[in-house]
Amino acid sequence: MAEPSPEVDLLDLKMMPAWVNEPTRANDYADFQGEEVERQFDRRGSGPPRDRKPRVRRPEGRDQRGGPKRPDRKRGPERRDERPDGRREEHRPHETQPVISNVTVRFIPHAPAFESVVAQIKSGSITYSVFALARMFLDKPERYDVQLTATAEAPLHQLGERGAVAVDRKILESGAFASAKDDFYNVEVTQTEPIKGNFTNVARDRASGTLLGPTNHHAYQPQLRALYEQRYSRRMSFPDFQRQIEVVSDPAVVEQWKEQARSITTFTTKGEETPTTFNTSADAERHFRQTHLPTLLRTANELTISGVLSRRLPDRALGRLIENAWSQEIRSPSKMMQELAGGLRGAGLNIFRHRRGMLFVSPIRTRPFSHESAGVSASINSILQALGETPGLNRKQLAEKLQPAEAAEAEKAKLTLASDLHWLIHEGYVIEFNDGSLDLPRVKPPPAPAPSPEVKEEVATPMVEPTAGLPLREPSDEAGITVEQSIEPVAEPAKE
């Protein structure tokens, strides 16, 4: 299902210079706690002051509460690399993410967002910076699409027509059931009788907090393997995953697991005359892989996905490649500017260069005003002269500069200025930018006159044929230096 495209409003670009209109950045430290910052400052001995209790030095042999310090207990072989039987366990190093070099990334405007921007530009007379528009499209993933192109030797794989994309087919196969189960199965959760038995502890994943149940329960091993395949198979090895499983003896946690274990999820097939019901997720996934998965996966050398989907791809290496390409493009959006310039021209808008050669788009074709035109009012000439002397004035500054000396004529002068300025902008003689500044179109400099051809008298130089064994003398230059080139005779081959 395609994500809804929000409306793009160009008010964000108005009344602000295009070259300082930076995109909104997400706060990378949103989850960082302030107390941790203070704690780090306290360790360094600098930073913001905070009320601290005087540290009491406890005597040797005493614990924190003042009682006698307990002796260190000798523990069993609990080292990470040592097993209970004394043998060392071989660690498999973490697999680093492969670097993808056969895929090129291209960002293009999302069609509904682009059509909304074109409609807003055509409805007014404001001129916008193409650079600022490119930054605006790249700012939010709902406004752009990502086009991926791979080589023929290593094509891309996609789940469905609008699903996730990966370089490795196995990555899509492992997560296909979790993302597409609602399309093929009716999922229903029912409550059963409470679990009977005396359980004193349960296993829990430290990273996610998932309760797996007692280690001697019949469902522990399948849940352990399923959690590893879904979340950690691409990050760590299975022995490393097992080391982060802890056993909790809290009665409240045990009761929480019992309540969760009462819930049974059933999967019923859709679109079949005789629906089939599966009582476990493993059975439903097995049926999904055999029946639906072969027809869902497709292979192509060029795929286009939405910007929202590109930020949550299961293929971490491909997602990192897209993220790096986006970081480079947001700093210098030259490729997005090319995409926008071509699309804006095709939509009937005018693209021109102004202000140090930067690209701008306007619904009005700009043209320089001819001051020699007859019948031009003095008010129009004063506006053009003021903008020619001081480019970049806004409406208020222009009105203050052209304000008449007599107060009685001030109101009439404002109305005349507004009317004349409106006509000049809509005729293309004055440019009004999105930051409110006004300027005149650039005037092409007159072509330089062609240089008159100079007739140069060429003096014929007599050529001296070389003589065998004699130096060749060329004519002397102005400094009187003679260049000599010795030519040696060519010996004829000896006759036998």
Side-chain angles (χ1 to χ4, degrees):
M1 183 177 180
E3 294 85 358
S5 301
E7 293 293 334
V8 181
D9 195 351
L10 292 180
L11 288 176
D12 298 338
L13 300 183
K14 292 183 179 180
M15 305 308 297
M16 184 177 293
W19 49 86
V20 299
N21 188 17
E22 298 292 338
T24 305
R25 291 289 189 270
N27 188 5
D28 297 334
Y29 304 97
D31 299 330
F32 201 79
Q33 301 296 331
E35 296 180 358
E36 183 65 20
V37 177
E38 294 181 358
R39 197 176 299 117
Q40 292 183 2
F41 278 129
D42 291 340
R43 293 195 193 104
R44 300 189 186 100
S46 60
R50 69 181 286 197
D51 296 335
R52 300 178 60 183
K53 297 180 180 180
R55 190 175 290 181
V56 180
R57 186 176 182 181
R58 59 177 184 265
E60 298 182 0
R62 297 287 178 178
D63 59 2
Q64 188 175 2
R65 293 174 296 181
K69 188 176 182 180
R70 297 181 180 180
D72 297 335
R73 293 181 297 177
K74 295 182 179 181
R75 298 185 178 182
E78 294 184 359
R79 293 179 55 184
R80 291 181 178 269
D81 57 347
E82 191 172 339
R83 300 177 58 177
D85 54 4
R87 293 184 300 172
R88 290 183 175 273
E89 184 176 1
E90 296 182 359
H91 286 272
R92 186 175 64 184
H94 297 311
E95 299 179 358
T96 57
Q97 296 293 338
V99 179
I100 301 176
S101 59
N102 63 317
V103 178
T104 57
V105 182
R106 177 185 173 192
F107 298 94
I108 57 179
H110 190 53
F114 179 76
E115 294 173 0
S116 175
V117 168
V118 170
Q120 293 182 62
I121 295 177
K122 288 184 176 181
S123 64
S125 59
I126 304 297
T127 298
Y128 294 91
S129 167
V130 180
F131 179 87
L133 290 175
R135 282 279 189 90
M136 185 191 67
F137 273 92
L138 292 169
D139 184 23
K140 295 184 178 180
E142 298 87 358
R143 299 174 181 173
Y144 64 84
D145 295 334
V146 182
Q147 189 178 76
L148 304 174
T149 305
T151 58
E153 295 78 10
L156 298 169
H157 306 278
Q158 187 175 24
L159 185 63
E161 296 183 356
R162 300 180 180 178
V165 179
V167 177
D168 190 358
R169 183 186 179 95
K170 296 181 180 179
I171 296 178
L172 294 181
E173 292 177 351
S174 60
F177 176 73
S179 60
K181 62 183 178 181
D182 295 334
D183 299 333
F184 301 97
Y185 302 93
N186 291 319
V187 184
E188 184 179 0
V189 180
T190 58
Q191 296 290 332
T192 60
E193 296 293 331
I195 295 180
K196 297 180 181 180
N198 186 17
F199 300 100
T200 58
N201 52 48
V202 292
R204 181 175 61 184
D205 178 25
R206 290 192 186 96
S208 62
T210 305
L211 298 178
L212 302 173
T215 55
N216 57 351
H217 195 262
H218 63 88
Y220 171 73
Q221 289 296 337
Q223 292 183 6
L224 181 68
R225 178 61 66 174
L227 180 62
Y228 171 73
E229 294 295 337
Q230 292 175 3
R231 296 192 179 186
Y232 303 101
S233 60
R234 296 185 299 274
R235 306 182 193 175
M236 61 181 69
S237 62
F238 187 72
D240 291 338
F241 166 68
Q242 286 181 306
R243 293 187 187 95
Q244 71 180 23
I245 302 300
E246 61 180 354
V247 178
V248 183
S249 301
D250 189 358
V253 179
V254 175
E255 291 298 327
Q256 180 183 358
W257 168 79
K258 288 184 177 181
E259 191 64 25
Q260 292 180 3
R262 289 182 56 190
S263 302
I264 296 180
T265 305
T266 58
F267 302 85
T268 306
T269 57
K270 293 181 180 180
E272 295 183 357
E273 297 181 358
T274 305
T276 306
T277 302
F278 302 96
N279 295 326
T280 62
S281 177
D283 295 339
E285 185 173 359
R286 191 179 301 110
H287 177 267
F288 171 79
R289 287 176 175 268
Q290 296 174 358
T291 308
H292 305 291
L293 185 58
T295 59
L296 281 179
L297 291 176
R298 68 188 188 102
T299 304
N301 294 329
E302 183 175 331
L303 295 172
T304 302
I305 59 177
S306 64
V308 178
L309 180 61
S310 67
R311 297 197 175 188
R312 46 182 175 87
L313 292 177
D315 192 341
R316 296 180 179 274
L318 185 59
R320 188 177 296 109
L321 176 67
I322 297 175
E323 182 181 358
N324 294 337
W326 180 87
S327 300
Q328 296 177 1
E329 186 69 13
I330 197 67
R331 287 195 295 267
S332 177
S334 58
K335 297 180 181 179
M336 178 61 80
M337 290 175 63
Q338 295 177 2
E339 298 288 340
L340 288 176
L344 294 172
R345 284 194 186 97
L349 297 173
N350 300 290
I351 304 294
F352 62 95
R353 291 190 179 275
H354 198 79
R355 286 181 177 174
R356 296 172 297 176
M358 297 180 63
L359 280 179
F360 291 88
V361 57
S362 174
I364 304 169
R365 183 175 296 276
T366 60
R367 49 182 176 169
F369 189 84
S370 177
H371 293 274
E372 290 79 12
S373 301
V376 178
S377 64
S379 175
I380 292 179
N381 279 330
S382 62
I383 294 174
L384 297 175
Q385 184 178 0
L387 294 179
E389 295 174 354
T390 313
L393 296 176
N394 55 29
R395 290 174 177 261
K396 182 179 178 181
Q397 294 171 346
L398 182 62
E400 293 175 353
K401 188 172 185 179
L402 301 179
Q403 186 176 5
E406 299 179 3
E409 300 180 358
E411 190 66 24
K412 182 180 179 181
K414 288 182 179 180
L415 296 176
T416 304
L417 174 63
S419 177
D420 293 341
L421 189 59
H422 180 270
W423 180 79
L424 289 171
I425 292 174
H426 283 77
E427 290 296 325
Y429 299 130
V430 173
I431 306 173
E432 185 177 13
F433 294 95
N434 58 291
D435 58 351
S437 61
L438 303 170
D439 203 352
L440 299 179
R442 295 170 62 180
V443 180
K444 295 183 179 180
S452 59
E454 297 180 359
V455 181
K456 295 183 179 179
E457 297 182 357
E458 297 182 359
V459 180
T461 304
M463 297 297 297
V464 181
E465 294 184 1
T467 306
L470 298 178
L472 174 65
R473 295 183 178 271
E474 296 181 359
S476 303
D477 57 3
E478 298 178 357
I481 301 176
T482 303
V483 181
E484 296 185 0
Q485 180 180 2
S486 178
I487 299 180
E488 298 294 333
V490 180
E492 296 182 359
K495 295 182 180 180
E496 296 180 357

